[in-house]
Amino acid sequence: MAARRHGLELLREALTGLETRDRDETGALYVRAYDGVVAPPGPARAATLDGAGALVSGETSPQRPVHRGPGAHRFARTLYPLLDDPAGAARLAEDARRRLAHGDPACAGAGP
């Protein structure tokens, strides 16, 4: 259990270093400090189904709109039915793996 917790701490440090390295708060303190903070729209952040957006470098696929930009609702409506179907979710995962292997991480998980 201690090794797993340590691994999760290392993962958290690596991930927060990419986006929130200037924020020291964790847990409830983080939520209280930043709950109302919304990332601005812009080409460096791609739309995600959870609404948080993903910070990316490189070009995203035409199917994935800019975070909080036009087309985000259509993007979600296209992906949700695929995610509800195990075969559809498997196709999306395979497509993401193919794009990653091709060296195109910003397009991974872009959908149909």
Side-chain angles (χ1 to χ4, degrees):
M1 182 64 141
R4 178 173 166 77
R5 178 169 282 159
H6 178 69
L8 290 172
E9 288 172 5
L10 293 176
L11 175 62
R12 180 189 180 282
E13 286 177 23
L15 292 174
T16 57
L18 297 173
E19 176 126 359
T20 59
R21 74 176 60 110
D22 58 330
R23 301 176 181 180
D24 294 327
E25 303 86 353
T26 60
L29 292 175
Y30 184 92
V31 171
R32 276 193 286 267
Y34 302 105
D35 191 33
V37 176
V38 177
R45 188 173 298 279
T48 58
L49 294 179
D50 64 3
L55 193 59
V56 297
S57 60
E59 294 294 319
T60 62
S61 73
Q63 296 92 349
R64 184 180 291 275
V66 171
H67 174 61
R68 294 180 44 214
H73 180 70
R74 184 177 61 250
F75 170 70
R77 286 186 54 193
T78 301
L79 285 185
Y80 276 127
L82 292 170
L83 293 171
D84 287 338
D85 171 29
R91 282 192 307 274
L92 287 174
E94 182 54 39
D95 183 57
R97 286 186 201 96
R98 182 183 54 76
R99 291 174 192 244
L100 285 169
H102 192 263
D104 208 358
C107 287

